[in-house]
Amino acid sequence: MRIVMFGCPGAGKGTQAKVIAAKSGAKHISTGDMLREAVANKTEIGLKANEYMSKGALVPDEVVVGIVKEKLVNDKITDFILDGFPRTIPQAEALDVMLAELNLPVEKVVNLNIDHQVIVNRLCERRVCLACGESYHLKNNPPKVEGKCNACGADLVHRSDDQPEAIKTRLDQYDQKTAPLLDFYKKQGKVIDIDASGAIDDIRDNIMKALGL
Ligand code: AP5
């Protein structure tokens, strides 16, 4: 299984990718999680990426393509769910080249459709675990113990780019640089459109059905 999760910030890519990964055994690869880990560890890439991420801007293509390639090749991953990558046409082209070399082309692109207005509330009320990457929503998907991750017990945090100004920038970046990618994948006949405005479990069921899981 080789899937790309597609959709604007807050569409539910991470939430659904984790469930598909658990059900299918494919590896969940989130560029956002990898970059946040690099920021937390203050690596060279992390320090550079943080200048962009904190404002809601996209990290340069060559940095992100490099970390994805390293992950796929070093860990010899053959089944994956990409979450947050690719995000620009050059990233998608680089991914196609890298996967052609590995003979592992993308099979499906799950496009989570949702109105930008719903997103601001979702992201302002999101809390995340930086230790294991789990994501919660204060009302729609709260943790069992306030402020603590269900999966690993670490403290939950409010991401610095989940503030109204940065959310606006992220949505603008999505419209300008990421949304055009949909045509790129439509031309390859790989896009599955999913309404992402309903309940988390209903969206999950629709994705599973569409993927035959
Ligand atoms: P990244 O971490 O990828 O952020 P994003 O794409 O903006 O996506 P989010 O994580 O915000 O949202 P999501 O769609 O995963 O939604 P979630 O499931 O969490 O990237 C962060 C930054 O890193 C970027 O801005 C950029 O700077 C950099 N970056 C990363 N990849 C890059 C790349 N390829 N190129 C360049 N730069 C890159 O859900 C959101 C909330 O809603 C949660 O609270 C969840 O519980 C809740 N929720 C989910 N579904 C529902 C539902 N159906 N109903 C109600 N609530 C719901």
Side-chain angles (χ1 to χ4, degrees):
M1 167 165 289
R2 296 180 299 275
I3 304 286
V4 169
M5 297 301 291
F6 194 86
C8 66
K13 301 182 294 295
T15 301
Q16 300 297 341
K18 287 187 185 75
V19 185
I20 307 169
K23 176 101 181 183
S24 67
K27 180 86 179 161
H28 174 206
I29 300 177
S30 158
T31 42
D33 286 351
M34 287 194 282
L35 289 167
R36 278 185 289 280
E37 193 181 335
V39 172
N41 291 335
K42 296 190 169 64
T43 65
E44 199 181 321
I45 285 179
L47 292 174
K48 185 170 181 193
N50 195 37
E51 291 170 26
Y52 299 88
M53 293 172 76
S54 57
K55 291 182 276 194
L58 293 184
V59 174
D61 289 337
E62 64 275 14
V63 175
V64 191
V65 169
I67 61 170
V68 171
K69 188 166 189 179
E70 196 178 296
K71 181 86 185 164
L72 288 174
V73 173
N74 287 0
D75 293 359
K76 296 190 173 62
I77 295 171
T78 54
D79 296 84
F80 52 77
I81 299 159
L82 290 173
D83 162 11
F85 180 90
R87 247 176 161 105
T88 62
I89 301 270
Q91 288 182 19
E93 290 170 343
L95 178 67
D96 274 358
V97 170
M98 136 187 12
L99 294 180
E101 282 167 11
L102 298 168
N103 202 17
L104 299 168
V106 167
E107 292 173 313
K108 295 285 174 206
V109 175
V110 177
N111 176 34
L112 299 177
N113 282 309
I114 188 152
D115 227 64
H116 281 9
Q117 281 146 329
V118 183
I119 294 304
V120 179
N121 164 275
R122 278 197 189 175
L123 294 183
C124 286
E125 306 247 319
R126 171 166 62 179
R127 297 296 179 269
V128 295
C129 174
L130 292 181
C132 74
E134 278 299 320
S135 164
Y136 302 87
H137 185 277
L138 294 180
K139 291 195 194 75
N140 304 325
N141 181 25
K144 289 178 187 145
V145 177
E146 196 183 327
K148 299 283 179 194
C149 177
N150 293 349
C152 73
D155 288 341
L156 299 178
V157 300
H158 192 186
R159 268 168 51 176
S160 60
D161 60 349
D162 278 349
Q163 312 293 339
E165 201 50 40
I167 293 171
K168 188 182 173 309
T169 307
R170 287 161 65 199
L171 288 170
D172 288 347
Q173 295 267 301
Y174 173 81
D175 288 339
Q176 288 164 28
K177 297 180 179 162
T178 309
L181 253 186
L182 211 49
D183 271 346
F184 177 92
Y185 283 119
K186 278 193 174 151
K187 282 183 191 140
Q188 298 185 6
K190 293 180 176 170
V191 176
I192 297 172
D193 284 304
I194 298 284
D195 176 359
S197 62
I200 292 175
D201 289 354
D202 294 340
I203 297 165
R204 176 204 60 206
D205 291 348
N206 289 337
I207 296 174
M208 296 295 181
K209 203 166 143 201
L211 292 176
L213 286 169

